[in-house]
Amino acid sequence: MKANILIVGVGGQGTLLASRILGALADLEGSDCKLSEVHGMSQRGGSVVTNVKIADEVKSPIIGLRDADIIMAFEKLEALRYTNYLKKGGVIVVNDQEILPMPVITGARKYPEHIVEDLRERAGKVIVVPALAIAEEIGNLKTVNVVMIGALAKNLGIPFEKIDAALKAAVKPKLYEVNRTALQRGYDIG
Amino acid sequence: MKKLMLGNEAIARGAYEAGVKVVSAYPGTPSTEVSECIARYDEVYAEWAPNEKVAFEVAIGASFVGARSMVCMKHVGVNVAADPMFTAAYTGVNGGLVILAADDPGMHSSQNEQDTRFYARSAHIPMLEPSDSAEAKEFTKLAFELSEKYDTPVFVRTTTRLAHSQSLVETAERREVPLRPYVKDVSKYTMMPSSAIGRHVAVEAREDKLAADVNFFDVNREEMNDPSLGIVCSGVVYQYVKEALPEASVFKLGVVYPLPFGRLRDFASKVERLVVVEELEPFFQNQLKANGIDCEGKNLFSKQGEISVADIRLKLLGEKLDVEKQDLPVRPPVMCAGCPHRGVFYILNKLKVTVSADIGCYTLGAQPPLCAVDTVVCMGASVGIAHGFEKAAGREQSKRTVAVIGDSTFIHSGITGLINAVYNKSNITLVILDNSTTGMTGHQQHPATGLTLKQEPAKILDIVALCKTVGCDSVRVVDSYDLAEVEKTLKEELAADGVSVIVAKRPCALLDRNYPAPCTVSDCRKCGMCFKLGCPAIEKQADGSAKINASLCVGCGLCEKVCKFGAIKEG
């Protein structure tokens, strides 16, 4: 397996767990893998980026401009912010959730309109996932990240059993069942 | 078996396998997880110290008495620990002593971008720099060996991208290292002029020997390839170079101080063009040039921020990427919904006072719409700065100046500033934002939380009693959520002479997540007052009315208190 996956979102949305599930997947595949995260100040509701690189041999842990095969965005504006990191023809898997940044909340700026259309102009393929609505149905808002992983896995052509095994390896046992439901739901619509 | 590990986790694993017995640290991004990971090993004593200087002294003590010990800090923590560190270079060690220092190029979570490699040079302490997690583990083990072999503390330097990247690591068993016998030796462990003069000679001799020996260390590695371009690099930048320039010849430095000049000179003679690729200062480049090895470096790459693969390709291959300019609303970090600091900064902004703030989540009080911070310098500085304001500009200034500091930061180095203010007859007003944790670095324990790093019960430092004991004229406690009380107390204490401390108390909203129901809005009059709180859960609708985002709101009720029309109700 070979893929550069950029996970973007808002601090607190669970991008770290998502990257760890993909790390567990690489482990199952026997591939080399590097993950890169940002801790500290950026986690406080700021724009966050997590890098996942899977290949036979990975050098830099960081995905650069025009270097991502896939952008998995937990928030729409963040998807747009990082489109310069997508390779030509790359795939964007985007949660249709909007989280307003402070300049929008204070009225200094407007939240961009038509984001999904803009993404379609810039990507080879855009998959929109109503991950928040699905997580609400499941009854656990924290599963948004795993719904997204399900949709991503389907698009990477990964068998459900394999991504499920990766999930099991990455989450605490007591959280596995609810997350498995989230994974399945994401996989089904991916 | 290979396992994905954070660079920081790998350093902890390396220290564990090397038989480390004592680890002391103060949390600081990007170094914090080293201590958190090592605390999981029962064989290792690990602690949070109140600051890096104390942590360093603990590690020195453990080393002197014969144990392998480690002290961990972020780059600015090295400044705090510099006093014992410079002299520890003179005393040398008994058990191996390793200093983990984490730099933050690009300032992801720091107030400056200093290059810790210069400390290695000025303190005469050797420094290793790993390039991935596997090396992080191995270099940490090597650092303990070198420390004992050369009788010196040894740095392991990381940067954010190494510390917070995960890559595969092969683990090994721990090797127990018995305590070395402690023998009283005034000439080595008691640094006064008569003995330190002799130790300085030993330091220079050791460094000369090491500078010769590093030419034979295999962690300094030459990778000959196409001779038309030779790169000198270290750390995670090595990975960027290998990805960007797979054809280039590379000299990878594992020891970044002292440099292996013999081998570097040899490498330089074999390549047509020599380029140093290093983040931050021209540390290697200037030394190479001073040793007569001509090279390029900072003529191509910035001294600011991080270097990227794209940057290397652009500067050395002329490859440009096609990227679009975007003008999107920025998403800066903000205080979380329910953050107990928010109300205090809202009041400080309302009172139009000058605020000297400090290092922590509450630094975010500088951001719009709160805009309540005037100065931030370093851990503990808020107190001394407010005192300086008064001594220079007089009592009228201190009547409209407030210092703010967090509980952990106050214990780190604010207390000394407070003692100074009392001693020197100041009239400052200090707000201690006590959220019962070390927040920004991810909820570490400290002396006032009642738990240790290993989550064992501990005595609780009484911050109020401490402030009273050092002689503050007034020490009052308020609930951070009680805006009326915060405002009234601030006004009274600003007017009162003497040193005043207001402890604004309320645990971090992320600690106990049993939140009440979210707040609700009905019949909003669109006055916009609630937006002045800068709460991420209060969203401005197209018609100017407020809406509460129920998935973010934690029901703190601050917005109900600022709404003049009673439109917002606590859940």
Side-chain angles (χ1 to χ4, degrees):
Chain A
M1 181 177 172
K2 184 175 181 340
N4 287 353
I5 305 165
L6 197 71
I7 308 175
V8 302
V10 178
Q13 279 193 302
T15 55
L16 291 189
L17 175 68
S19 72
R20 281 163 199 204
I21 296 170
L22 294 173
L25 176 71
D27 185 33
L28 293 171
E29 296 260 338
S31 302
D32 190 14
C33 175
K34 285 184 181 171
L35 311 176
S36 193
E37 316 162 346
V38 169
H39 300 204
M41 187 169 259
S42 321
Q43 282 179 302
R44 301 284 171 267
S47 170
V48 291
V49 187
T50 302
N51 303 259
V52 179
K53 293 178 78 170
I54 302 172
D56 291 340
E57 191 187 2
V58 182
K59 295 290 185 189
S60 163
I62 309 297
I63 297 169
L65 295 165
R66 299 276 173 249
D67 193 23
D69 299 292
I70 297 167
I71 292 177
M72 178 163 71
F74 287 17
E75 201 274 347
K76 279 193 329 195
L77 172 58
E78 295 313 307
L80 196 55
R81 193 186 308 286
Y82 289 96
T83 46
N84 276 329
Y85 286 77
L86 194 67
K87 282 181 189 167
K88 205 169 183 298
V91 177
I92 297 177
V93 183
V94 58
N95 179 10
D96 69 355
Q97 190 178 353
E98 289 181 5
I99 300 176
L100 305 187
M102 202 44 68
V104 174
I105 287 174
T106 59
R109 293 291 303 264
K110 283 215 170 350
Y111 192 93
E113 295 178 321
H114 318 299
I115 287 181
V116 172
E117 289 75 7
D118 285 351
L119 294 177
R120 289 213 161 96
E121 276 177 27
R122 291 166 172 80
K125 185 178 175 188
V126 177
I127 298 130
V128 182
V129 185
L132 184 64
I134 294 172
E136 272 170 359
E137 281 174 42
I138 294 169
N140 186 337
L141 292 178
K142 289 203 170 300
T143 60
V144 163
N145 50 2
V146 178
V147 174
M148 293 296 293
I149 285 283
L152 173 79
K154 178 74 168 288
N155 276 278
L156 284 170
I158 296 162
F160 183 78
E161 297 68 35
K162 198 157 230 175
I163 192 71
D164 182 38
L167 173 75
K168 199 166 191 174
V171 300
K172 288 183 186 147
K174 65 172 184 177
L175 295 175
Y176 169 65
E177 275 310 317
V178 66
N179 277 306
R180 188 181 189 279
T181 309
L183 189 74
Q184 181 76 62
R185 292 288 304 275
Y187 200 85
D188 290 346
I189 60 153
Chain B
M1 197 191 84
K2 285 195 173 183
K3 186 175 175 274
L4 270 180
M5 277 192 192
L6 268 184
N8 281 344
E9 188 183 357
I11 286 163
R13 181 72 200 184
Y16 167 76
E17 290 177 8
V20 72
K21 205 155 250 136
V22 172
V23 179
S24 189
Y26 182 81
T29 312
S31 69
T32 312
E33 298 81 7
V34 178
S35 296
E36 292 179 321
C37 291
I38 208 144
R40 296 180 199 140
Y41 298 112
D42 292 339
E43 299 94 324
V44 183
Y45 171 80
E47 66 174 25
W48 291 129
N51 65 38
E52 295 84 353
K53 177 177 183 291
V54 174
F56 204 110
E57 291 152 354
V58 171
I60 291 175
S63 163
F64 281 179
V65 83
R68 288 193 162 184
S69 65
M70 182 162 77
V71 56
C72 313
M73 61 201 79
K74 68 182 294 177
H75 60 321
V76 286
V78 184
N79 304 333
V80 179
D83 198 0
M85 185 180 83
F86 272 74
T87 303
Y90 276 38
T91 62
V93 304
N94 186 18
L97 171 55
V98 172
I99 312 158
L100 180 274
D103 279 0
D104 188 15
M107 290 180 278
H108 295 278
S109 204
S110 302
Q111 69 270 34
N112 79 24
E113 208 170 14
Q114 72 188 46
D115 190 331
T116 299
R117 295 177 298 173
F118 285 100
Y119 269 111
R121 193 172 168 191
S122 60
H124 303 285
I125 294 173
M127 179 179 268
L128 307 178
E129 187 180 12
S131 72
D132 61 15
S133 297
E135 282 190 356
K137 196 197 80 161
E138 292 310 318
F139 282 24
T140 304
K141 292 168 87 167
L142 175 64
F144 280 103
E145 285 172 31
L146 294 177
S147 174
E148 287 169 3
K149 182 173 178 195
Y150 291 91
D151 190 15
T152 174
V154 174
F155 272 114
V156 174
R157 182 217 189 202
T158 66
T159 57
T160 302
R161 298 302 190 175
L162 185 285
H164 288 160
S165 291
Q166 300 190 42
S167 56
L168 293 168
V169 177
E170 186 97 48
T171 58
E173 292 298 307
R174 173 177 169 90
R175 188 171 74 86
E176 286 299 340
V177 181
L179 283 191
R180 294 175 157 205
Y182 169 71
V183 182
K184 179 170 174 168
D185 183 353
V186 172
S187 71
K188 178 166 161 61
Y189 297 133
T190 309
M191 284 303 97
M192 48 191 174
S194 55
S195 48
I197 288 168
R199 288 306 300 173
H200 194 179
V201 174
V203 167
E204 299 297 336
R206 167 188 82 216
E207 188 160 87
D208 286 348
K209 174 158 174 43
L210 193 60
D213 291 356
V214 287
N215 287 294
F216 304 98
F217 285 11
D218 51 16
V219 292
N220 290 324
R221 188 169 74 222
E222 180 185 289
E223 298 173 6
M224 275 315 291
N225 217 332
D226 179 355
S228 65
L229 178 62
I231 305 288
V232 175
C233 57
S234 70
V236 75
V237 172
Y238 164 78
Q239 306 291 352
Y240 305 158
V241 167
K242 292 299 279 185
E243 184 163 318
L245 310 166
E247 304 300 320
S249 296
V250 175
F251 197 98
K252 177 187 183 297
L253 290 161
V255 183
V256 297
Y257 186 80
L259 294 180
F261 288 111
R263 288 184 62 196
L264 285 166
R265 191 169 286 116
D266 181 52
F267 179 67
S269 73
K270 290 190 276 193
V271 296
E272 289 159 35
R273 182 186 183 195
L274 187 66
V275 180
V276 179
V277 185
E278 58 187 325
E279 286 175 335
L280 304 178
E281 300 291 321
F283 182 74
F284 301 146
Q285 187 187 1
N286 286 354
Q287 290 184 74
L288 285 171
K289 285 190 162 179
N291 278 270
I293 303 170
D294 194 30
C295 58
E296 297 171 70
K298 290 298 166 186
N299 54 322
L300 300 167
F301 296 97
S302 173
K303 289 180 200 169
Q304 286 176 258
E306 299 180 291
I307 288 175
S308 67
V309 171
D311 206 15
I312 296 168
R313 286 193 182 128
L314 173 67
K315 303 287 168 51
L316 293 170
L317 302 175
E319 286 180 9
K320 267 194 192 149
L321 286 169
D322 171 32
V323 290
E324 241 181 299
K325 277 221 173 95
Q326 286 180 312
D327 177 33
L328 298 173
V330 294
R331 191 186 300 274
V334 291
M335 288 179 192
C336 308
C339 176
H341 304 325
R342 173 170 289 107
V344 176
F345 283 97
Y346 172 79
I347 297 298
L348 290 170
N349 184 27
K350 184 177 168 189
L351 296 179
K352 302 275 171 264
V353 286
T354 301
V355 174
S356 64
D358 224 293
I359 306 290
C361 288
Y362 45 92
T363 312
L364 297 169
Q367 303 270 47
L370 294 166
C371 301
V373 170
D374 289 77
T375 73
V376 172
V377 177
C378 68
M379 295 282 288
S382 58
V383 193
I385 286 173
H387 176 65
F389 264 62
E390 192 205 47
K391 291 303 172 191
R395 181 70 185 110
E396 281 312 304
Q397 177 66 49
S398 63
K399 281 181 178 169
R400 47 189 162 79
T401 302
V402 176
V404 297
I405 192 166
D407 43 343
S408 189
T409 310
F410 175 67
I411 297 163
H412 176 282
S413 49
I415 179 64
T416 41
L418 189 62
I419 292 169
N420 179 58
V422 170
Y423 171 51
N424 288 306
K425 305 181 191 68
S426 201
N427 295 291
I428 62 166
T429 301
L430 170 67
V431 179
I432 299 176
L433 299 160
D434 183 355
N435 63 353
S436 311
T437 191
T438 315
M440 182 59 88
T441 45
H443 300 129
Q444 287 72 34
Q445 307 298 340
H446 64 63
T449 64
L451 287 172
T452 67
L453 168 59
K454 293 218 170 202
Q455 306 300 313
E456 290 159 355
K459 288 194 177 177
I460 299 174
L461 172 68
D462 184 337
I463 290 175
V464 171
L466 177 65
C467 294
K468 285 181 179 164
T469 299
V470 303
C472 295
D473 298 282
S474 167
V475 183
R476 295 165 71 177
V477 180
V478 297
D479 177 353
S480 306
Y481 279 174
D482 189 340
L483 294 182
E485 185 68 14
V486 169
E487 182 169 353
K488 178 171 168 284
T489 310
L490 265 169
K491 282 180 175 165
E492 288 170 5
E493 294 304 332
L494 281 166
D497 289 340
V499 173
S500 305
V501 173
I502 302 166
V503 180
K505 213 167 161 51
R506 182 60 83 155
C508 171
L510 301 179
L511 282 178
D512 174 10
R513 302 196 184 193
N514 289 317
Y515 303 127
C519 300
T520 53
V521 192
S522 57
D523 196 18
C524 173
R525 307 287 184 88
K526 305 172 190 173
C527 72
M529 277 304 284
C530 56
F531 300 126
K532 293 189 176 174
L533 286 170
C535 176
I538 307 174
E539 298 176 348
K540 191 173 192 171
Q541 305 285 93
D543 67 355
S545 67
K547 181 188 149 202
I548 308 277
N549 181 333
S551 73
L552 295 174
C553 177
V554 301
C556 75
L558 218 55
C559 47
E560 180 183 352
K561 297 187 180 87
V562 301
C563 180
K564 290 175 179 162
F565 301 102
I568 306 181
K569 289 277 174 280
E570 270 189 61

